[in-house]
Amino acid sequence: MSRVPSLEDLGDVSGKRVLVRTDFNVPMEGPDDARIITDDFRIRAALPTIEYLTSRGAHVVCASHLGRPKGSPNVKYSMAPVRARLAELAPGVELLENLRFNPGEEGNDPAFVSQLINGIDMYVDDAFGAAHRSHASIVGPSLTLPSAAGRLLQREVDVLGDLREKPKRPFVAVLGGAKVSDKIGVIEALQERVDAFIIGGGMCFTFLAAQGYPVGDSICEQDQIETCKKLLAGPVPIHLPEDLIGLDAQGVYQTFGIRLPSGAKGLDIGPGSAAAFTDIIMDARSVFWNGPMGMFEDPRFASGTKTVAQAVADTKAFTVVGGGDSAAALAQFKLDDEVDHVSTGGGASLEFLELGDLPGLAALRGAPNAR
Ligand code: ADP
Ligand code: MG
């Protein structure tokens, strides 16, 4: 496999027009025609790459998606608020309108690629969060233009690549979130790489059901029970909760053991499980965490996620957190500075750990300056 070209591989960028694919899919609130950015982290995260280029005399044209406008213009997803913030942070840098206003973006239409690179000399991809998508702006420009990975994309690939190929052991994967089916591929792939799994969140109930425990009205995917049985019979230990917190059939907050009565809903791991998971995380030397341990948006069901987040912050292990909700939980508990790496891509980080490559990276390796 050839190397993904870096910014240095572009050579002299002075006087060149450079298209930079960024991930400016920022959280926003407010009325559709007056949206306000609630967190500009993703804009600031692109600055090292933008500054590398502008300080060497390049003219930078950024392009990003925002939300899911599904192929047509929609004021709610206008880039105008992002453009205003970018103008403050990086004066003189252009930003195209939302890529997903054009159906050619998600459809990877060559005509849309031509439109994007019209008048452009070079291409830089710094949108790790979108690198698992074969969209026009991700895989198209590098077919013809000299191309490179930006600093953010490069760091993601370095960190996640090391975790995948040469983790310090024991390597523990802590997985949670709503659905097993979203994460089954990465669990299967990580079986060959990790020393143990810790599984909490909504997805633990499909595993508990596979072990024969009653799960009440908790989210449970019947069609994944057989897969969970196979994983449980596999060589890698899977640590599941042994106590739970949730609501009983009357909607009253309760602490439960491992068996949920009928009508009860499990919404967090219990304190005993959180303590046991902490011990395993403290003894690990590499930890990858994706997915909250419970419905942490409701403060009644946040304690399992908070305890695990604290353990990930406190352990001496090398720690990587991937996933939008997991990163949001870390930030909510003010622990985001306490981990080694917070990935900017949820789906992309899982797919990279699973497959070791992404369409966006393969595209860069195929660029004319990399071949
Ligand atoms: P990430 O974005 O970190 O990858 P996911 O999107 O997979 O995480 O899952 C996050 C969601 O899972 C949260 O909205 C959370 O409320 C939900 N969740 C976690 N545990 C449960 C549970 N026991 N029952 C229902 N939903 C849950
Ligand atoms: Mg999520």
Side-chain angles (χ1 to χ4, degrees):
M1 211 190 274
S2 61
R3 211 170 52 86
V4 171
S6 65
L7 292 173
E8 286 73 12
D9 295 319
L10 290 174
D12 185 8
V13 299
S14 172
K16 299 287 193 323
R17 282 179 70 85
V18 184
L19 178 69
V20 181
R21 176 54 161 102
T22 50
D23 179 2
F24 289 164
N25 188 23
V26 292
M28 292 184 160
E29 61 183 28
D32 285 2
D33 58 353
R35 306 274 285 167
I36 290 167
I37 298 171
T38 54
D39 185 351
D40 66 358
F41 169 74
R42 287 184 167 180
I43 306 175
R44 287 182 286 113
L47 293 178
T49 295
I50 293 173
E51 280 161 10
Y52 175 96
L53 295 164
T54 54
S55 68
R56 287 165 178 77
H59 181 80
V60 171
V61 181
C62 292
S64 175
H65 69 286
L66 177 65
R68 295 178 184 273
K70 304 209 167 92
S72 55
N74 179 339
V75 65
K76 183 177 178 188
Y77 300 113
S78 160
M79 280 291 177
V82 179
R83 192 173 294 119
R85 183 70 184 122
L86 183 65
E88 293 167 358
L89 294 168
V93 170
E94 274 182 58
L95 174 61
L96 301 183
E97 192 40 283
N98 192 337
L99 291 164
R100 291 189 189 165
F101 282 2
N102 190 314
E105 167 65 357
E106 290 175 84
N108 189 18
D109 179 352
F112 186 56
V113 175
S114 303
Q115 188 183 320
L116 279 176
I117 65 172
N118 184 24
I120 297 288
D121 303 303
M122 294 172 165
Y123 169 75
V124 171
D125 186 358
D126 215 15
F128 178 70
H132 58 317
R133 311 271 186 217
S134 294
H135 292 173
S137 67
I138 305 289
V139 298
S142 55
L143 292 171
T144 50
L145 296 178
S147 302
R151 291 289 189 254
L152 184 64
L153 181 65
Q154 190 74 57
R155 168 147 170 86
E156 293 276 8
V157 171
D158 289 348
V159 169
L160 293 167
D162 281 357
L163 198 61
R164 189 173 191 277
E165 304 304 334
K166 44 181 177 183
K168 292 206 171 80
R169 298 193 177 278
F171 177 14
V172 176
V174 183
L175 301 174
K179 288 167 122 190
V180 178
S181 49
D182 283 353
K183 301 188 178 168
I184 208 79
V186 75
I187 300 176
E188 281 170 348
L190 283 178
Q191 262 199 319
E192 289 164 22
R193 300 179 188 276
V194 301
D195 300 292
F197 288 103
I198 289 173
I199 293 185
M203 64 192 263
C204 78
F205 297 103
T206 310
F207 282 93
L208 293 174
Q211 289 184 325
Y213 293 113
V215 298
D217 272 1
S218 310
I219 47 170
C220 176
E221 292 170 84
Q222 293 300 330
D223 58 346
Q224 298 292 335
I225 288 181
E226 281 310 309
T227 312
C228 289
K229 279 186 186 164
K230 277 193 204 108
L231 290 169
L232 286 164
V236 179
I238 298 181
H239 301 280
L240 292 167
E242 292 180 354
D243 59 348
L244 296 158
I245 287 172
L247 299 175
D248 69 14
Q250 282 72 46
V252 178
Y253 178 96
Q254 296 276 355
T255 304
F256 301 101
I258 190 79
R259 293 177 177 79
L260 289 180
S262 98
K265 203 174 263 174
L267 294 166
D268 194 8
I269 60 172
S273 308
F277 291 176
T278 295
D279 284 347
I280 299 166
I281 293 167
M282 295 310 281
D283 287 340
R285 292 190 67 206
S286 307
V287 176
F288 175 73
W289 176 32
N290 170 280
M293 294 291 105
M295 217 177 77
F296 76 102
E297 298 91 336
D298 181 333
R300 293 176 299 169
F301 307 116
S303 68
T305 303
K306 187 168 186 187
T307 302
V308 164
Q310 190 68 55
V312 174
D314 290 344
T315 180
K316 288 196 178 62
F318 182 74
T319 49
V320 178
V321 179
D325 293 289
S326 324
L330 261 192
Q332 186 180 312
F333 307 135
K334 304 212 174 348
L335 294 171
D336 38 349
D337 289 339
E338 311 294 320
V339 302
D340 290 292
H341 181 69
V342 181
S343 176
T344 51
S349 64
L350 290 176
E351 191 169 320
F352 184 80
L353 283 178
E354 183 181 342
L355 304 173
D357 201 8
L358 296 171
L361 303 175
L364 291 174
R365 286 197 308 269
N369 59 321
R371 284 194 284 254

